[in-house]
Amino acid sequence: MRLTREEFVRTIHGRLIVSCQAPEGHPLRDTPTIVRMAQAAVRGGAAAIRCGGVGGVPDVAAVRAAVDVPVLGLTKDGTEGVYITPTVAAAHAVLDAGAAVVAADGTSRPRPDGSAFADLVAAAHGRGGLVLADVSTVDEGIAAAEAGADLVATTLSGYTGNSPHRDGPDLDLVAALRKALPATPVIAEGRYHRPDSAAAALARGAAAVVVGTAITDPAWLTASFAAAAAGQTGVLSP
């Protein structure tokens, strides 16, 4: 599926993108499970699916074949530095698997293949794909847009040395990016664990919101409920 930026933004505007991924060692970590996860998300109203991660190209290709909404594809190589679709070759592979959008680290940190983020953008555009830049600060978002990114996302806020860790979503970054980049759609992503937080991001100017863990990880959901129940031990009547 190939879309112009305008077509993609119309598809996702004011809606939910669901991230369907599972790390190594997780009970849900196999491609058929990721596909069913994506299908369930689409049935629930997801406007697009973000997938790939450690499942890489096989997950992207399988999800693309199974759903009729755009796929934002990515690969993950390691857990430190630039590891989200870190190379030009990875971007090509994601697009060749059928993704409409490549999600990639859009920071200025060194990339494993020695390329610049602008090189990845040019390579993706050469294949007819769009690029979503995952960033952690306003300056990174501005630089990514200047390098040609079609969209920017707050995905990396709290996960780089340039941004402080926080427990909840970075709504301030959404608003700041929207103000700094009036012509570039901003996607809210990162620790959106409650529906009201997603609504708040849209109110701050996000074009769409990506939610992953709070929808697709039953282990995390169970742990959240279990912790709340444990906190009531001795409070409830027997």
Side-chain angles (χ1 to χ4, degrees):
M1 179 185 291
R2 291 290 183 261
L3 299 170
T4 66
R5 183 172 76 168
E6 291 70 25
E7 290 170 335
F8 179 70
V9 172
R10 281 199 299 270
T11 298
I12 64 167
H13 186 72
R15 299 182 65 190
L16 183 70
I17 299 168
V18 176
S19 179
C20 297
Q21 302 179 58
E24 293 293 352
H26 194 286
L28 301 184
R29 181 49 267 156
D30 67 79
T31 297
T33 299
I34 298 297
V35 168
R36 291 192 294 272
M37 191 186 295
Q39 290 172 319
V42 172
R43 180 174 293 188
I49 299 294
R50 176 170 168 138
C51 67
V54 297
V57 170
D59 279 13
V60 175
V63 170
R64 170 62 273 161
V67 301
D68 60 358
V69 299
V71 170
L72 295 80
L74 65 142
T75 63
K76 286 184 178 178
D77 184 6
T79 58
E80 297 182 353
V82 175
Y83 64 89
I84 299 175
T85 320
T87 65
V88 168
H92 278 162
V94 164
L95 288 172
D96 290 347
V101 181
V102 176
D105 185 307
T107 70
S108 60
R109 296 177 297 177
R111 308 179 75 83
D113 61 353
S115 66
F117 177 67
D119 298 325
L120 183 146
V121 172
H125 287 171
R127 296 285 177 99
L130 303 174
V131 176
L132 170 67
D134 291 338
V135 302
S136 66
T137 68
V138 173
D139 288 345
E140 289 172 356
I142 292 172
E146 290 176 345
D150 301 285
L151 313 98
V152 297
T154 60
T155 315
L156 294 176
S157 173
Y159 299 107
T160 72
N162 294 328
S163 59
H165 176 74
R166 62 184 68 218
D167 293 329
D170 194 343
L171 293 169
D172 290 339
L173 181 57
V174 172
L177 284 169
R178 175 71 278 141
K179 182 178 180 180
L181 299 169
T184 302
V186 175
I187 307 298
E189 181 173 7
R191 301 177 300 277
Y192 281 88
H193 294 157
R194 296 163 51 97
D196 58 349
S197 294
L202 293 172
R204 294 286 192 101
V209 183
V210 178
V211 178
T213 299
I215 291 175
T216 58
D217 189 349
W220 181 89
L221 288 164
T222 301
S224 299
F225 278 92
Q232 293 300 312
T233 301
V235 176
L236 299 178
S237 300

